[in-house]
Amino acid sequence: MTAMILKPGAVSLADWRSIYLGAPARLDPSCAPQIAASAAAVDRIIAQQKPVYGINTGFGKLASVRIGDEDLAALQRNIVLSHAAGTGVPSPVPVVRLMMALKLASLAQGASGVKPETVAMLEAMLLNGLTPIVPSQGSVGASGDLAPLAHMAATMIGVGEIDVNGERRPAADALAQAGLAPLALGPKEGLALLNGTQFSTANALVGLFCADNLFRTALVTGALSTEAAKGTDAPFDPRIHQLRRHAGQIAVGEALRELVAGSAIRASHLEAASDPRVQDPYCLRCQPQVMGAALDVLRAAAAMLETEANGVSDNPLIFADTDEALSGGNFHAEPVAFAADMIAMAICEIGSISERRIAMLVDPALSGLPAFLTPRPGLNSGFMIPQVTAAALVSENKQRAFPASVDSIPTSANQEDHVSMAAHGARRLLEMAANAEAVIGIELLAAAQGCEFHRPLASSHGLEQVRARLRAAVPALGDDRHFHPDMEAANALIRSGEIANAASVKLPGAIE
């Protein structure tokens, strides 16, 4: 596979997603002069014999301690080893690869003072499938993601463990097998590697990628549930949404209209004089408002994360044109924490309204369908317990959706007295997405089952394609059978993006 060319400062969300999914990446060669210029500026700054934070001083609360020239290399090695103090299960390999690519793009912008050899090492590890084992816990999201990034940096100097094709190996051995020698870090380099928001940003981006797929899929399952319940498409009328003016609501209303267009099931509802319903429940009728708001939030989070992913977030920053090292606070991951909280709330609400549609479908008083969507209720329980599972998962996500960004606890002897908590705020998103995926998978099964009771009437062309794809993997439910494999099959179809794509309708999303 041809490696993607990373242009630091101008990488799209779609490209970051490709890297997460396994695409190889290398730097644009045009970055070389600015990397070299930044490293040379550090040498000139050292020659001035002035105390400069992170270059010839201690770190954090120890910033007032001056370090002699003879100890500058040891200083950088020590900060990597001492800060590699994470705990917990290892972060998933694709997440760590994305973190490495984000750090690579940041360093290559020539504001971090690292040598070209250091950048080349990180690039080589990425290209050769050498993925550091990075414990998932230990960052408070300021001063950067110190512990996770220190574990990454440690492997670059031959310490720690590296994943090679699913096998954990000592870092020095893995590097040697790939023909790479451990780095000897120069002034500023250890700090540049472990300071920054790349761990939090990688996890938040992965949460965004998952949420984007869940959102698109939930539009499809929501439309299919509307069909199963013989709901009306009147709430999708564009005139309603134009009056409120929210872009997400307008886009969702249009998508839902297209998804049900041409449905014989919908037409039968319009013509049925015996149907006493005047309005559908909110879980059907308010889909444009709820899902539209989720779309707007996801798009706002996407914009924040795209900016963060293309920025430089270590400290101090090196300005080669004036030979200055400026200490600031770009390592504070508050933008990432806010974005992660926004994504968490969107995931929670997408799953919440999906579960309400499941509950509506299994209740004959609300849906007009057989109880629990089984042809023979009583002897069979049908979708009774899958709805309970969905309810449990939604409640779990409600608890996890509490904002992480409103929390802070001082660290480093109160030097770092306000932190973002972005790391665990972002890290929870994968598990929240898995919960929501399972809920939407249950809705997919339930909605398709509900439509079985309307045969020979067909839904729209797009939704019939969705049903056909599901039925290729999961047959309609007659008598009760082992339900878990059906749920796993539905989840796999959702995770792969097949359900969202099967509808043959351009669905709005956070990543266009």
Side-chain angles (χ1 to χ4, degrees):
M1 184 185 299
T2 303
M4 175 190 305
I5 302 300
L6 280 181
K7 296 183 181 295
V11 184
S12 69
L13 289 174
D15 285 345
W16 291 125
R17 179 165 54 187
S18 295
I19 292 170
Y20 168 66
L21 294 175
R26 64 170 67 250
L27 279 176
D28 188 329
S30 67
C31 299
Q34 61 203 37
I35 297 171
S38 181
V42 171
D43 292 337
R44 293 192 296 271
I45 290 169
I46 293 172
Q48 295 172 9
Q49 292 297 308
K50 297 177 182 178
V52 180
Y53 176 74
I55 295 179
N56 54 16
T57 71
F59 306 104
K61 192 72 171 179
L62 302 174
S64 61
V65 179
R66 178 71 183 270
I67 308 299
D69 289 358
E70 69 279 6
D71 290 326
L72 295 186
L75 175 70
Q76 297 302 317
R77 181 178 176 85
N78 287 349
I79 190 177
V80 170
L81 298 178
S82 67
H83 285 45
T87 190
V89 299
S91 299
V93 166
V95 175
V96 177
R97 287 188 72 258
L98 180 57
M99 179 186 79
M100 295 168 71
L102 289 163
K103 176 57 79 173
L104 181 65
S106 176
L107 297 177
Q109 295 187 50
S112 301
V114 298
K115 301 189 300 285
E117 295 82 359
T118 301
V119 176
M121 169 66 99
L122 189 56
E123 181 181 49
M125 291 176 66
L126 198 56
L127 286 169
N128 285 280
L130 306 179
T131 308
I133 300 297
V134 176
S136 57
Q137 294 170 282
S139 173
V140 295
S143 173
D145 294 313
L146 295 171
L149 287 168
H151 281 276
M152 180 199 76
T155 65
M156 298 172 69
I157 62 174
V159 177
E161 291 183 298
I162 288 176
D163 179 283
V164 184
N165 297 322
E167 179 185 352
R168 290 175 66 153
R169 304 193 57 193
D173 293 349
L175 292 177
Q177 186 178 30
L180 301 171
L183 288 174
L185 296 174
K188 174 69 169 67
E189 292 195 300
L191 183 59
L193 287 168
L194 60 86
N195 198 288
T197 66
Q198 287 79 29
F199 177 80
S200 295
T201 303
N203 278 278
L205 282 171
V206 172
L208 175 68
F209 302 152
C210 293
D212 185 58
N213 179 53
L214 291 174
F215 173 84
R216 295 173 194 263
T217 305
L219 291 181
V220 175
T221 58
L224 198 59
S225 289
T226 303
E227 290 286 271
K230 287 191 173 181
T232 175
D233 64 348
F236 310 152
D237 190 302
R239 293 170 293 182
I240 295 172
H241 311 302
Q242 291 292 344
L243 280 173
R244 202 176 191 188
R245 303 179 188 278
H246 289 294
Q249 181 177 327
I250 292 168
V252 168
E254 180 180 355
L256 291 170
R257 280 197 314 279
E258 290 186 28
L259 283 166
V260 300
S263 165
I265 296 175
R266 181 188 62 86
S268 73
H269 167 66
L270 295 176
E271 297 164 2
S274 60
D275 192 335
R277 294 175 296 179
V278 177
Q279 290 184 322
D280 291 328
Y282 288 178
C283 63
L284 299 181
R285 186 172 14 131
C286 296
Q287 289 181 79
Q289 289 76 16
V290 174
M291 295 294 284
L295 177 58
D296 286 338
V297 165
L298 289 174
R299 285 175 170 172
M304 294 174 74
L305 291 176
E306 185 168 22
T307 298
E308 184 71 19
N310 282 291
V312 180
S313 57
D314 63 286
N315 185 65
L317 297 174
I318 305 300
F319 294 87
D321 55 343
T322 58
D323 287 349
E324 289 182 279
L326 299 182
S327 285
N330 281 4
F331 52 72
H332 200 295
E334 196 79 355
V336 183
F338 280 162
D341 284 343
M342 293 160 69
I343 296 167
M345 289 187 288
I347 290 174
C348 186
E349 283 298 272
I350 291 167
S352 178
I353 195 170
S354 174
E355 185 278 328
R356 288 293 79 204
R357 291 191 294 264
I358 299 167
M360 178 271 302
L361 290 174
V362 301
D363 186 342
L366 295 174
S367 67
L369 296 167
F372 301 107
L373 302 175
T374 175
R376 293 200 290 171
L379 176 62
N380 295 296
S381 296
F383 280 76
M384 181 186 294
I385 301 306
Q387 186 272 323
V388 174
T389 298
L393 294 172
V394 167
S395 278
E396 186 176 317
N397 272 2
K398 289 176 186 176
Q399 295 170 1
R400 293 182 181 218
F402 187 87
S405 59
V406 300
D407 186 24
S408 180
I409 188 167
T411 61
S412 192
N414 276 306
Q415 175 76 4
E416 298 159 4
D417 58 351
H418 183 278
V419 298
S420 71
M421 298 300 179
H424 68 262
R427 191 164 43 79
R428 69 185 153 165
L429 297 177
L430 262 179
E431 292 184 356
M432 289 186 68
N435 287 346
E437 175 188 279
V439 173
I440 296 166
I442 293 169
E443 183 186 10
L444 174 64
L445 294 168
Q449 179 75 7
C451 288
E452 296 291 336
F453 296 106
H454 301 319
R455 289 191 179 280
L457 295 177
S459 184
S460 66
H461 174 70
L463 292 180
E464 286 299 324
Q465 288 183 304
V466 170
R467 280 214 289 165
R469 181 63 194 89
L470 175 64
R471 289 291 171 248
V474 180
L477 184 66
D479 288 329
D480 284 346
R481 61 172 181 257
H482 188 194
F483 216 113
H484 181 72
D486 292 359
M487 293 165 58
E488 289 295 296
N491 292 350
L493 289 173
I494 290 170
R495 197 175 310 123
S496 69
E498 289 183 68
I499 295 302
N501 293 332
S504 299
V505 170
K506 181 172 174 50
L507 300 171
I511 306 169
E512 300 296 350

